[in-house]
Amino acid sequence: MKRKLSVLLSLLVLASVVLAACGGTPTEAPATEAPSVTEAPSASEAAACEPAGTEPIAFPDGGKTVTGAWDQEPDSIVPYFSQMSYAIWITQLTLAGLGEWDADGNFVAELAAEVPSAENGGVSADGLTITWKLRECLFWSDGEPLTSSDVKFTWEAVMDPGNAVLSRSGYEKIASIDTPDETTVVITFSELYPGWQTLFTQGPNNSGAILPMHILEGQSALESNDFIHQPTVGSGPWVITEWIPGDYMTLLPNPNFHGGRPKLDQVQIRFIPDPATALAALQTGDVDWFPNFSEAEISTVGALEPDVHLIVVPGADFEHYFFNLGTTTGVDGKGAADQDGFCPFKDVNVRKAITLGINRQAIVDTLLEGKTTVPSTQWPNSSWTNSSLTPDAYNPDEAAALLDTAGYTLGADGIRAGECNGETVKLSFNFETTTSQIRIDIATIVQSDLAKIGVEFKPIHTPAGTFFGSYADSGVMPTGNYNMAGYTTGFYPDPMTGVLDSYSCANVPNAASPSGANNYLICDPALDDLLAAANATADPAARKTAIDELQKYIYDNYYVVMMYARANVYGHTDRFVPAPFGFFSNLNWNSEAWDVK
């Protein structure tokens, strides 16, 4: 099922560009529009368009309400400035993009009237010009019109050097955006960009919601703007009306949502410390859903049927550990980090030894109940996976031999030490991650495993809001204040989503250029060339070959330690009725259709 979903999405993402370049006609039906409660008005009706309201409507008793439990509190809402999953999920509830992914993994229109294709004239023959047509009569929640100018403004805000956005990948490939009328957006690329569907579109792993020009125009340093952290205006089904930090958030219906009024009258999100608290609250009915159980909790949650329902959605996310590979000098004038990474990590033998020294399969079998796998690459459960590569098995003897070869020998304290750049260095380093209990448990095992090969691994567990901090917030990863770190990410819905952000020299953040999501702080020109090759073609076969080569290079250089493939594990009460969803859409994509029994 996982492979079929990934293949289907990949074909949909690439089909319009490939066919446009060939001047052909699609053999499959064009992508469908997102479900909508109200139809777009005709041209004659459009002239009389008026917003339904300017304030979200509150019911005295709350009306039909559901309450979710989240174990991470968003650090911001506008997605261009956050890499936290919960921040992107709340964006799905409150801000919309031109398109999104539906329950079956299809790319569908959201604010747009239809998805651009060769057939409808939305994709030019050379694949360089994409024309979006917006729905008629779009309004922000405050009653202001939402038009093509907002789309163009969003691009200008992302590209403004005065704004420390997380990434400009893809957006910097745009040469111009023209807005001949209020519902037409003509995007011209300077070069072929096969992942164009991930720009200006919102999903659980691509952050491209449209920003309100009437609120943010003329402002800079948006990363510090109050609106970015708590928007007062929205375009999604919900508007945040109250947010008590550390306690809860209340959302009320957006009176001008393009899909009509949500079925529910209120959504509340409570911030709780951990999944155990969420599980207890689900059992008592104090909360209605929790979106972040680990694979280890599948059996526990499943045992609560029928009062609590379990949903497991496998996909392409993965938990991984990685090394700070930053250098203050950069390479060929590119990719300079604020700080040098831990010196021994510059040696591939050390990175490989650490990988071999962690019994990842035992972690999966014990802590995760064997419910997942140890992947070989960062494209697990995907048709894009390089199937010729296999994960390294646990081998402490080979790991120790590699460290001997690298010149690190055991000391009397049981910790290896050696020379690195002319200085004596111990293989003792900090590891940064969040306070999630499963991460605490896994890090404890890793600490024990690595101690057996003479490596001192020292976990530091930080609340997610701080751990995922941006450069502007002095986040540990973008500023290079870490040795090794770990979290979950994934490269989808397009196979190159987030890859340039993560690996290219241009996306290493530093004081002179704080934008960039290359948390590995790596700058490798050979890797840059492979990234460019993977984005240089829209032909599926050629692209697969290029991405296979990219995966092999990352694999051979042990740039990351792949811990395990993730699944989304949800629990919800029987009274709560979520709408259909899939891995590429997430629970939040159609929250207007949520209901209660």
Short mmCIF file of all heavy atoms in Angstrom, two decimals, residues 258-296:
data_model
loop_
_atom_site.label_atom_id
_atom_site.label_comp_id
_atom_site.label_asym_id
_atom_site.label_seq_id
_atom_site.Cartn_x
_atom_site.Cartn_y
_atom_site.Cartn_z
N HIS A 258 -13.17 29.16 1.74
CA HIS A 258 -13.66 28.86 0.40
C HIS A 258 -14.47 27.57 0.33
O HIS A 258 -15.29 27.38 -0.58
CB HIS A 258 -12.49 28.77 -0.59
CG HIS A 258 -11.62 27.56 -0.37
ND1 HIS A 258 -11.94 26.32 -0.86
CD2 HIS A 258 -10.45 27.41 0.30
CE1 HIS A 258 -11.00 25.44 -0.52
NE2 HIS A 258 -10.08 26.09 0.19
N GLY A 259 -14.24 26.67 1.27
CA GLY A 259 -14.94 25.38 1.25
C GLY A 259 -16.23 25.38 2.03
O GLY A 259 -16.83 24.33 2.23
N GLY A 260 -16.68 26.55 2.49
CA GLY A 260 -17.91 26.61 3.26
C GLY A 260 -17.65 26.47 4.75
O GLY A 260 -16.52 26.26 5.20
N ARG A 261 -18.69 26.58 5.54
CA ARG A 261 -18.53 26.55 6.99
C ARG A 261 -18.20 25.13 7.48
O ARG A 261 -18.83 24.16 7.06
CB ARG A 261 -19.83 27.01 7.67
CG ARG A 261 -19.63 27.32 9.15
CD ARG A 261 -20.97 27.62 9.82
NE ARG A 261 -20.77 28.10 11.17
CZ ARG A 261 -20.38 27.33 12.20
NH1 ARG A 261 -20.15 26.04 11.99
NH2 ARG A 261 -20.21 27.84 13.40
N PRO A 262 -17.20 24.99 8.36
CA PRO A 262 -16.90 23.66 8.92
C PRO A 262 -18.10 23.06 9.64
O PRO A 262 -18.99 23.78 10.12
CB PRO A 262 -15.76 23.95 9.90
CG PRO A 262 -15.13 25.20 9.40
CD PRO A 262 -16.26 26.01 8.83
N LYS A 263 -18.13 21.74 9.75
CA LYS A 263 -19.21 21.06 10.46
C LYS A 263 -19.16 21.32 11.96
O LYS A 263 -20.19 21.34 12.63
CB LYS A 263 -19.14 19.56 10.19
CG LYS A 263 -19.48 19.16 8.76
CD LYS A 263 -19.44 17.65 8.61
CE LYS A 263 -19.83 17.23 7.19
NZ LYS A 263 -19.80 15.76 7.02
N LEU A 264 -17.94 21.50 12.49
CA LEU A 264 -17.79 21.77 13.90
C LEU A 264 -17.87 23.27 14.18
O LEU A 264 -17.66 24.09 13.29
CB LEU A 264 -16.44 21.23 14.40
CG LEU A 264 -16.24 19.72 14.37
CD1 LEU A 264 -14.80 19.37 14.70
CD2 LEU A 264 -17.20 19.02 15.33
N ASP A 265 -18.16 23.60 15.42
CA ASP A 265 -18.25 25.00 15.83
C ASP A 265 -16.99 25.48 16.52
O ASP A 265 -16.78 26.70 16.65
CB ASP A 265 -19.43 25.20 16.78
CG ASP A 265 -20.76 24.80 16.14
OD1 ASP A 265 -20.99 25.21 14.98
OD2 ASP A 265 -21.53 24.06 16.77
N GLN A 266 -16.17 24.57 16.97
CA GLN A 266 -14.95 24.97 17.68
C GLN A 266 -13.97 23.80 17.73
O GLN A 266 -14.37 22.64 17.85
CB GLN A 266 -15.29 25.41 19.12
CG GLN A 266 -14.09 25.81 19.97
CD GLN A 266 -14.51 26.30 21.34
OE1 GLN A 266 -14.91 27.45 21.49
NE2 GLN A 266 -14.42 25.44 22.35
N VAL A 267 -12.71 24.12 17.62
CA VAL A 267 -11.63 23.15 17.83
C VAL A 267 -10.71 23.72 18.91
O VAL A 267 -10.32 24.89 18.84
CB VAL A 267 -10.82 22.90 16.53
CG1 VAL A 267 -9.57 22.07 16.83
CG2 VAL A 267 -11.67 22.21 15.49
N GLN A 268 -10.41 22.90 19.87
CA GLN A 268 -9.48 23.32 20.91
C GLN A 268 -8.31 22.34 20.95
O GLN A 268 -8.49 21.13 20.78
CB GLN A 268 -10.15 23.38 22.29
CG GLN A 268 -9.28 24.08 23.34
CD GLN A 268 -10.04 24.35 24.63
OE1 GLN A 268 -10.10 23.50 25.50
NE2 GLN A 268 -10.61 25.55 24.75
N ILE A 269 -7.13 22.88 21.14
CA ILE A 269 -5.92 22.06 21.23
C ILE A 269 -5.28 22.31 22.59
O ILE A 269 -4.99 23.46 22.94
CB ILE A 269 -4.94 22.40 20.10
CG1 ILE A 269 -5.58 22.06 18.74
CG2 ILE A 269 -3.63 21.63 20.27
CD1 ILE A 269 -4.80 22.59 17.56
N ARG A 270 -5.09 21.26 23.34
CA ARG A 270 -4.44 21.36 24.64
C ARG A 270 -2.99 20.90 24.51
O ARG A 270 -2.70 19.90 23.86
CB ARG A 270 -5.16 20.51 25.68
CG ARG A 270 -6.56 20.99 26.00
CD ARG A 270 -7.19 20.14 27.09
NE ARG A 270 -8.59 20.48 27.29
CZ ARG A 270 -9.43 19.81 28.08
NH1 ARG A 270 -8.96 18.74 28.75
NH2 ARG A 270 -10.68 20.17 28.20
N PHE A 271 -2.11 21.63 25.14
CA PHE A 271 -0.69 21.28 25.11
C PHE A 271 -0.37 20.45 26.34
O PHE A 271 -0.58 20.88 27.47
CB PHE A 271 0.16 22.54 25.05
CG PHE A 271 -0.21 23.43 23.89
CD1 PHE A 271 -0.68 24.72 24.09
CD2 PHE A 271 -0.12 22.96 22.59
CE1 PHE A 271 -1.04 25.52 23.03
CE2 PHE A 271 -0.49 23.75 21.51
CZ PHE A 271 -0.95 25.04 21.73
N ILE A 272 0.10 19.23 26.09
CA ILE A 272 0.34 18.26 27.17
C ILE A 272 1.81 17.82 27.12
O ILE A 272 2.48 17.99 26.10
CB ILE A 272 -0.62 17.06 27.07
CG1 ILE A 272 -0.64 16.47 25.63
CG2 ILE A 272 -2.05 17.51 27.39
CD1 ILE A 272 0.23 15.31 25.44
N PRO A 273 2.33 17.27 28.19
CA PRO A 273 3.76 16.99 28.25
C PRO A 273 4.24 15.80 27.43
O PRO A 273 5.37 15.79 26.95
CB PRO A 273 4.03 16.76 29.74
CG PRO A 273 2.70 16.35 30.30
CD PRO A 273 1.67 17.07 29.50
N ASP A 274 3.39 14.76 27.26
CA ASP A 274 3.89 13.55 26.62
C ASP A 274 2.72 12.67 26.16
O ASP A 274 1.57 12.88 26.54
CB ASP A 274 4.80 12.77 27.58
CG ASP A 274 4.16 12.56 28.94
OD1 ASP A 274 2.99 12.14 28.99
OD2 ASP A 274 4.82 12.85 29.96
N PRO A 275 3.03 11.66 25.32
CA PRO A 275 1.98 10.75 24.85
C PRO A 275 1.26 9.99 25.95
O PRO A 275 0.08 9.66 25.80
CB PRO A 275 2.74 9.79 23.92
CG PRO A 275 3.91 10.59 23.43
CD PRO A 275 4.32 11.42 24.62
N ALA A 276 1.95 9.72 27.06
CA ALA A 276 1.30 9.01 28.16
C ALA A 276 0.14 9.83 28.72
O ALA A 276 -0.93 9.29 29.05
CB ALA A 276 2.31 8.69 29.26
N THR A 277 0.35 11.14 28.83
CA THR A 277 -0.72 12.03 29.29
C THR A 277 -1.87 12.03 28.29
O THR A 277 -3.05 12.02 28.66
CB THR A 277 -0.18 13.45 29.47
OG1 THR A 277 0.93 13.43 30.38
CG2 THR A 277 -1.25 14.38 30.01
N ALA A 278 -1.53 12.04 27.00
CA ALA A 278 -2.55 12.01 25.96
C ALA A 278 -3.36 10.72 26.03
O ALA A 278 -4.60 10.74 25.89
CB ALA A 278 -1.90 12.15 24.58
N LEU A 279 -2.69 9.60 26.25
CA LEU A 279 -3.37 8.32 26.31
C LEU A 279 -4.37 8.29 27.46
O LEU A 279 -5.53 7.86 27.31
CB LEU A 279 -2.36 7.19 26.46
CG LEU A 279 -2.93 5.77 26.41
CD1 LEU A 279 -3.51 5.48 25.04
CD2 LEU A 279 -1.83 4.75 26.73
N ALA A 280 -3.95 8.81 28.60
CA ALA A 280 -4.85 8.86 29.76
C ALA A 280 -6.05 9.76 29.49
O ALA A 280 -7.18 9.44 29.86
CB ALA A 280 -4.08 9.34 30.99
N ALA A 281 -5.80 10.90 28.84
CA ALA A 281 -6.88 11.85 28.53
C ALA A 281 -7.85 11.28 27.50
O ALA A 281 -9.06 11.55 27.56
CB ALA A 281 -6.29 13.16 28.03
N LEU A 282 -7.35 10.48 26.56
CA LEU A 282 -8.23 9.81 25.60
C LEU A 282 -9.14 8.82 26.31
O LEU A 282 -10.33 8.71 26.01
CB LEU A 282 -7.41 9.09 24.54
CG LEU A 282 -6.83 9.93 23.40
CD1 LEU A 282 -5.85 9.08 22.57
CD2 LEU A 282 -7.94 10.47 22.49
N GLN A 283 -8.59 8.09 27.27
CA GLN A 283 -9.36 7.08 27.99
C GLN A 283 -10.48 7.71 28.81
O GLN A 283 -11.56 7.13 28.95
CB GLN A 283 -8.45 6.25 28.88
CG GLN A 283 -7.52 5.33 28.09
CD GLN A 283 -6.57 4.56 28.98
OE1 GLN A 283 -5.53 5.07 29.38
NE2 GLN A 283 -6.93 3.33 29.30
N THR A 284 -10.22 8.89 29.36
CA THR A 284 -11.24 9.57 30.17
C THR A 284 -12.18 10.42 29.32
O THR A 284 -13.19 10.92 29.81
CB THR A 284 -10.58 10.47 31.22
OG1 THR A 284 -9.77 11.46 30.57
CG2 THR A 284 -9.72 9.65 32.17
N GLY A 285 -11.82 10.62 28.04
CA GLY A 285 -12.63 11.45 27.17
C GLY A 285 -12.36 12.93 27.32
O GLY A 285 -13.09 13.77 26.77
N ASP A 286 -11.30 13.29 28.02
CA ASP A 286 -10.97 14.71 28.19
C ASP A 286 -10.44 15.31 26.90
O ASP A 286 -10.51 16.53 26.71
CB ASP A 286 -9.94 14.89 29.31
CG ASP A 286 -10.53 14.61 30.68
OD1 ASP A 286 -11.75 14.81 30.84
OD2 ASP A 286 -9.78 14.20 31.59
N VAL A 287 -9.85 14.49 26.03
CA VAL A 287 -9.46 14.94 24.70
C VAL A 287 -10.00 13.94 23.68
O VAL A 287 -10.32 12.79 24.02
CB VAL A 287 -7.92 15.08 24.54
CG1 VAL A 287 -7.36 16.07 25.55
CG2 VAL A 287 -7.23 13.74 24.63
N ASP A 288 -10.10 14.40 22.44
CA ASP A 288 -10.71 13.56 21.40
C ASP A 288 -9.71 12.93 20.45
O ASP A 288 -10.04 11.94 19.79
CB ASP A 288 -11.70 14.40 20.59
CG ASP A 288 -12.89 14.82 21.43
OD1 ASP A 288 -13.64 13.94 21.86
OD2 ASP A 288 -13.07 16.04 21.66
N TRP A 289 -8.52 13.50 20.32
CA TRP A 289 -7.54 12.87 19.44
C TRP A 289 -6.13 13.27 19.83
O TRP A 289 -5.90 14.31 20.46
CB TRP A 289 -7.81 13.20 17.97
CG TRP A 289 -7.11 14.41 17.42
CD1 TRP A 289 -5.89 14.46 16.79
CD2 TRP A 289 -7.57 15.78 17.44
NE1 TRP A 289 -5.57 15.74 16.42
CE2 TRP A 289 -6.59 16.57 16.79
CE3 TRP A 289 -8.71 16.40 17.93
CZ2 TRP A 289 -6.72 17.95 16.65
CZ3 TRP A 289 -8.84 17.77 17.78
CH2 TRP A 289 -7.86 18.53 17.14
N PHE A 290 -5.19 12.41 19.46
CA PHE A 290 -3.76 12.68 19.65
C PHE A 290 -3.05 12.18 18.41
O PHE A 290 -3.24 11.03 17.99
CB PHE A 290 -3.23 11.97 20.89
CG PHE A 290 -1.75 12.21 21.12
CD1 PHE A 290 -1.27 13.47 21.47
CD2 PHE A 290 -0.83 11.18 20.98
CE1 PHE A 290 0.08 13.70 21.67
CE2 PHE A 290 0.53 11.40 21.18
CZ PHE A 290 0.98 12.67 21.52
N PRO A 291 -2.19 13.01 17.77
CA PRO A 291 -1.63 12.65 16.46
C PRO A 291 -0.21 12.11 16.48
O PRO A 291 0.38 11.94 15.41
CB PRO A 291 -1.65 14.00 15.75
CG PRO A 291 -1.33 14.98 16.84
CD PRO A 291 -1.97 14.43 18.09
N ASN A 292 0.36 11.83 17.65
CA ASN A 292 1.80 11.60 17.67
C ASN A 292 2.22 10.44 18.57
O ASN A 292 3.24 10.51 19.25
CB ASN A 292 2.53 12.88 18.10
CG ASN A 292 4.00 12.86 17.75
OD1 ASN A 292 4.40 12.34 16.71
ND2 ASN A 292 4.84 13.42 18.62
N PHE A 293 1.46 9.36 18.56
CA PHE A 293 1.93 8.17 19.25
C PHE A 293 3.08 7.57 18.45
O PHE A 293 3.18 7.75 17.23
CB PHE A 293 0.82 7.14 19.38
CG PHE A 293 -0.22 7.50 20.42
CD1 PHE A 293 -1.53 7.77 20.03
CD2 PHE A 293 0.10 7.58 21.76
CE1 PHE A 293 -2.50 8.10 20.97
CE2 PHE A 293 -0.85 7.92 22.71
CZ PHE A 293 -2.16 8.19 22.32
N SER A 294 3.96 6.86 19.14
CA SER A 294 5.06 6.20 18.46
C SER A 294 4.64 4.79 18.06
O SER A 294 3.61 4.27 18.51
CB SER A 294 6.29 6.13 19.36
OG SER A 294 6.14 5.11 20.34
N GLU A 295 5.46 4.19 17.20
CA GLU A 295 5.20 2.82 16.78
C GLU A 295 5.14 1.86 17.98
O GLU A 295 4.42 0.86 17.95
CB GLU A 295 6.27 2.36 15.79
CG GLU A 295 6.25 3.07 14.46
CD GLU A 295 6.88 4.47 14.50
OE1 GLU A 295 7.37 4.90 15.57
OE2 GLU A 295 6.85 5.15 13.46
N ALA A 296 5.87 2.19 19.04
CA ALA A 296 5.89 1.35 20.23
C ALA A 296 4.56 1.32 20.96
O ALA A 296 4.30 0.43 21.77
CB ALA A 296 6.98 1.83 21.19
#
